[in-house]
Amino acid sequence: MEQQKGLVYGLIIIAGLILSRAVYVEQDAGRPRITQKDNTVLVDGKVPPALSGIPFHMSYLDEDTCLKCHTRGRTIELMNQSYVAPKMEHEFRRDCVSCHKIPSS
């Protein structure tokens, strides 16, 4: 009888460990894999897009300025031209220009 209790408890512990591992792996699966090769950041093996050459990208200010347009996909009118800021496809990370390079003028 004692041996059966020990076996049942052991199976419960093993099942709990397997379930915990499965939940951990599932949570990690949705995150991008960020690596660095030389001075270039790679996200899932790809280089993030550079900033376009529009006037407000030519001088990077700070993350808050980026987020004002890119969190909701804002449209901006400037000198009779419309610019649409694509909605950011990932969660916020500090220092946007560490991945998204500023175009050279």
Side-chain angles (χ1 to χ4, degrees):
M1 185 71 170
E2 279 300 313
Q3 206 171 20
Q4 288 177 339
K5 276 185 183 178
L7 180 61
V8 170
Y9 289 140
L11 289 173
I12 290 172
I13 290 171
I14 290 171
L17 291 172
I18 290 171
L19 181 62
S20 296
R21 176 72 177 148
V23 168
Y24 175 77
V25 168
E26 179 69 26
Q27 286 177 347
D28 204 37
R31 293 189 184 140
R33 192 173 49 90
I34 299 172
T35 56
Q36 188 159 357
K37 184 178 181 185
D38 302 323
N39 287 336
T40 305
V41 173
L42 301 173
V43 179
D44 290 334
K46 300 176 193 161
V47 177
L51 301 176
S52 63
I54 56 179
F56 18 85
H57 282 166
M58 298 309 284
S59 59
Y60 172 73
L61 299 175
D62 56 31
E63 291 84 18
D64 290 336
T65 306
C66 297
L67 293 175
K68 284 178 185 171
C69 297
H70 290 283
T71 51
R72 58 179 197 262
R74 183 175 170 190
T75 300
I76 300 159
E77 301 290 330
L78 180 68
M79 297 181 347
N80 296 326
Q81 198 161 4
S82 248
Y83 298 95
V84 178
K87 190 172 180 183
M88 195 168 59
E89 295 181 14
H90 58 79
E91 73 276 358
F92 171 71
R93 294 186 189 98
R94 293 237 167 263
D95 196 12
C96 303
V97 295
S98 66
C99 295
H100 301 280
K101 301 299 178 199
I102 298 174
S104 53
S105 43

